[in-house]
Amino acid sequence: ELKVEQNPLFLSMQEGKNYTIYCNYSTTSDRLYWYRQDPGKSLESLFVLLSNGAVKQEGRLMASLDTKARLSTLHITAAVHDLSATYFCAVNSGNQFYFGTGTSLTVIP
Amino acid sequence: DAGVIQSPRHEVTEMGQEVTLRCKPISGHDYLFWYRQTMMRGLELLIYFNNNVPIDDSGMPEDRFSAKMPNASFSTLKIQPSEPRDSAVYFCASSPQGFSYEQYFGPGTRLTVT
């Protein structure tokens, strides 16, 4: 079974700071997804990364994929309180999707 | 579009009872996914359909779980008999054309089995 590890699991950061969330996975895949989940809410798609070297940006968030290293990053630039949420990466392998454990992000004013 | 619709939003039932969760995908989406989210196991894909046909049900935990998609606008996930360990949030998601596209998640059904 493919394993997807995220770190850190918990992240508390001040507004205006930058930080990176890491997503490592254990087997070959070239489809990587990032989702956001607010407490008690559903999941919202942020990015779909489909090839090695893919980079996508939306607002203060930027995601990248290195399939050779089996690593994706979600970089947060100049964090604001509205970014507080849990962020999940997910990997597609064959007919299955495997989600990471999630990174709970709290942005402190 | 109203997005993915799930019902009920909350369900409380007693152990041994049958539970049916319902999902209406976004119109025009060919793929429908059922997920379960728990604190212990995180998010798990249970089953997915392509054009109403079940493609992979390897995530279905056991025979007590079954899913159907009788038409393009409706799917059910049934648990019979339910057990306390089935307590979780069940999400339905749909996607226009499979794995290269984002999935749109419904609001979820919070199931509590006592």
Side-chain angles (χ1 to χ4, degrees):
Chain A
E1 178 179 312
L2 185 151
K3 292 186 178 179
V4 183
E5 295 183 346
Q6 287 183 236
N7 70 82
L9 298 184
F10 298 94
L11 175 58
S12 181
M13 57 190 298
Q14 287 189 318
E15 279 191 335
K17 299 293 186 182
N18 304 333
Y19 209 83
T20 300
I21 299 170
Y22 298 87
C23 173
N24 290 89
Y25 52 98
S26 62
T27 194
T28 302
S29 173
D30 56 6
R31 294 191 181 99
L32 192 293
Y33 314 80
W34 284 96
Y35 290 90
R36 166 182 172 147
Q37 185 176 36
D38 291 306
K41 302 293 186 181
S42 186
L43 283 83
E44 174 190 357
S45 176
L46 296 174
F47 302 107
V48 179
L49 304 170
L50 299 177
S51 60
N52 185 41
V55 177
K56 290 195 174 180
Q57 182 166 4
E58 180 74 31
R60 302 175 187 274
L61 300 178
M62 183 174 69
S64 66
L65 177 61
D66 181 344
T67 58
K68 294 180 181 178
R70 299 176 185 172
L71 170 69
S72 180
T73 61
L74 180 66
H75 186 73
I76 303 156
T77 302
V80 293
H81 180 68
D82 286 351
L83 291 179
S84 296
T86 298
Y87 293 85
F88 292 94
C89 64
V91 176
N92 167 228
S93 178
N95 287 331
Q96 271 294 326
F97 286 85
Y98 300 93
F99 279 78
T101 50
T103 296
S104 177
L105 170 65
T106 303
V107 180
I108 303 167
Chain B
D1 200 315
V4 176
I5 299 171
Q6 290 186 247
S7 65
R9 296 291 305 276
H10 302 271
E11 177 82 25
V12 180
T13 191
E14 292 184 346
M15 183 174 62
Q17 296 299 306
E18 177 179 297
V19 175
T20 299
L21 311 181
R22 297 172 176 80
C23 175
K24 176 179 170 53
I26 293 173
S27 177
H29 283 194
D30 294 335
Y31 285 76
L32 184 139
F33 305 82
W34 281 100
Y35 292 90
R36 178 172 69 174
Q37 185 176 33
T38 62
M39 289 295 293
M40 290 297 295
R41 299 179 64 87
L43 276 153
E44 304 171 281
L45 175 63
L46 301 177
I47 185 172
Y48 79 91
F49 295 82
N50 177 22
N51 291 322
N52 314 337
V53 177
I55 302 301
D56 192 303
D57 64 355
S58 60
M60 297 284 263
E62 45 197 277
D63 291 345
R64 298 183 298 105
F65 285 69
S66 63
K68 294 182 179 180
M69 192 166 186
N71 57 63
S73 60
F74 184 65
S75 178
T76 59
L77 179 67
K78 185 177 294 185
I79 308 172
Q80 166 63 19
S82 58
E83 297 182 3
R85 59 188 167 133
D86 301 331
S87 297
V89 179
Y90 290 82
F91 288 105
C92 174
S94 70
S95 174
Q97 288 183 40
F99 301 159
S100 296
Y101 294 81
E102 62 187 326
Q103 295 179 23
Y104 296 80
F105 280 73
T109 295
R110 181 174 296 277
L111 173 65
T112 303
V113 184
T114 61

